[in-house]
Amino acid sequence: MKGIAFDLAVSLIAAVFVCLLTLPIFALFTATSFVELVNQFSSPLVLSAIVISLETSLIVVFLALCLGLPVAYLLATKQFRGKEILDTLVDLPISMPPLVAGLALLILLGGNSKLGGLLNNCGIDLIFSKKGIIIAQLFVSSPFLIKSARGAFESINNNVIDASLTLGASKFYTFKKVLLPLAKNGIYAGMVMTWARALGEFGATSMVAGCIPYKTETMTVAIYHNVMSGELGSSVAIALLLTIFSFTSLLIFKSRIRGQTAVIV
Amino acid sequence: MGILLEKISKNYNGQAVLKNLNLEIVRGEFHVLLGPSGGGKTTTLSVIAGLIRQDRGSVFIGSRNVSRLSPEKRKIGFVFQDYALFPHLSVFDNVAYGLRVKKIKASKISVRVGHYLHKVGMEKERDKFPHELSGGQKQRVALIRALVTEPEVLLLDEPMSNLDALTRETIADELKSIQQEMGMTTVYVTHNQGEAVLLGDRVSVLNHGEIEQIESPDELFCHPKTEFVARFIGAKNILKARVIRINQHEAIAQVNNSGLAKPLKIRVKKYPIFEKGKEINLCIHPEKIILKREDKVVDGNLNQIRGKILDRRNNGRFVKARIAAGGMELHAAIPKNIFDFETNENVWVCFAPDTPHPLCGKRCRATETERRCLKG
Ligand SMILES: Nc1ncnc2c1ncn2[C@@H]1O[C@H](COP(=O)(O)OP(=O)(O)O)[C@@H](O)[C@H]1O
Ligand SMILES: [Mg+2]
């Protein structure tokens, strides 16, 4: 009898948890109607937020790939002094509050700082611009790619890499023809996670880029902005779209890491 | 192209894995590197390949000093213990890899790869992926992948250790005939004495990062020179002794193996390395031991030790007997047709003075003077 009671208790607690996760999403779906959604998605302001978000987050994925793959490769295959430090640095943005990251970026790149001033003189203005959004998102989301790619590189049998070298291939050729294809799934998974994180980024982005409609207002920033000014309708529409995006990316992510030992975050 | 290793040393975290290793392998030789696990075989092979950089010493392939060259420039073929096939490539693409690296024309690659696939009977598997192959098939692919670029030097790291006995034998035959046909210098690493005898032109025995003996397999098995080699190749009767008198043709040695109740004097053929008072190890092949009934008179020319048969075991045409002799254990292999002793029977263990062979421990170079200790 006791065994059944225990099973029952565990199931009940799990049910509470499931409600905690599903009820809010359900609420989101019921807060709107089809007509309302069509209306919202034809509003230029909503569309602009969607375009800005997609544009910046995709550029971030690309940049994370360019900057993150070498770091992942280094961490996975090389022993060097300061490796622990680099490893910790990569983890930092994940545990750091995004607002803090945003503030740090603001101070570094703002017109009053040396670097900001220098960039300003060259005609590059990072604050309150799309470039600022990209930098903020990159800061916060690139660790996901690095960690995933690193795990994928590490799971490759060293002898397979050595085999390529003994067959006359250079390190670069080996990277291209052996490491990349074998780490493919881990890298895709990392890209998807990075994209999802960049898309959902709010704190650092709003710090660095503010919320200038049609210029720096991303989807998340728009949700916040609109709720604050009492326009729940557009917020819900954008939120629903984000939910669908994140659900899709989760599915892609799951399908990519199935049967693969890549360590994710 | 021969291979020359000159004073190679390698440490891992302060632990010496290769100690001042010297090894010369002549062009076209099939050289077997034999030794227990952890002896430094893989490390030696990796140093030749350039996959591991030695701390000190030089590596020559032919007349090229390749000590500082990265692996891709050394023109070698390497077969890994775990095959290390490219899991994302088909059999054909695995084998073609080395040729594609060299930017050889696709039509030529196709012919070359086809030729090698045919050589090991793998044409049918050309489009399969590594995970669809049996161990023996993977091994064949790994082998021809290394051979297809026609390297000057072929290095194999325990290539058969994951295969069943039958496959092992077939692949060993294939490998040996391919090697003889193509004539590349081959270094074959194994911990299996059987493979060493079957394949090697010469065998070197590696222990704790040092080569204990380099020899043809026959010579190695008949005349191990150190206690380690003797034990590793399965020698049983090792007598620790001190030379106490040297006569014209013979020496008297006092055996003092641990466990021996009282020291035991034996007559041994005189070898050049003998000096009065010197501690030596003597090895007697079990086949050279003669057993006599306790009540039989023994030929006065033979050494004789009292013993008792502990157990007996049939082994082909021989009976292998374990004998307790005054506190040490001796092993005899007696032809089945003349063995008629019972377990627990008391016997005389007899051997002629020219049967114990000294384990001299010296490096054996091919010069006659240094071989005299063996040939006598
Ligand atoms: N990368 C390494 N780091 C530390 N120790 C190693 C490394 N590679 C090998 N060793 C040590 O070197 C010794 C010889 O190893 P190895 O050459 O693989 O021997 P074998 O192939 O004969 O079994 C072993 O004691 C092993 O622990
Ligand atoms: Mg090994």
Side-chain angles (χ1 to χ4, degrees), chain B residues 142-207:
Chain B
L143 179 64
I144 60 172
R145 180 180 68 174
L147 286 175
V148 77
T149 56
E150 296 178 355
E152 298 165 346
V153 162
L154 180 64
L155 309 170
L156 306 103
D157 190 4
E158 311 214 20
M160 315 274 191
S161 58
N162 298 320
L163 301 178
D164 59 272
L166 205 65
T167 316
R168 199 183 289 211
E169 220 165 278
T170 346
I171 294 193
D173 285 345
E174 283 174 22
L175 175 62
K176 185 78 183 174
S177 72
I178 289 176
Q179 195 269 341
Q180 279 169 348
E181 181 191 323
M182 297 177 55
M184 67 277 181
T185 310
T186 303
V187 185
Y188 183 102
V189 160
T190 181
H191 62 261
N192 179 310
Q193 308 99 341
E195 286 172 20
V197 178
L198 201 64
L199 292 166
D201 294 327
R202 282 196 309 160
V203 179
S204 50
V205 181
L206 197 62
N207 180 32

Side-chain angles (χ1 to χ4, degrees), chain A residues 109-112 114-127:
Chain A
L109 304 172
N112 296 334
K114 280 219 174 75
L115 184 63
L118 200 75
L119 289 169
N120 252 342
N121 289 344
C122 305
I124 304 171
D125 196 5
L126 296 178
I127 301 304

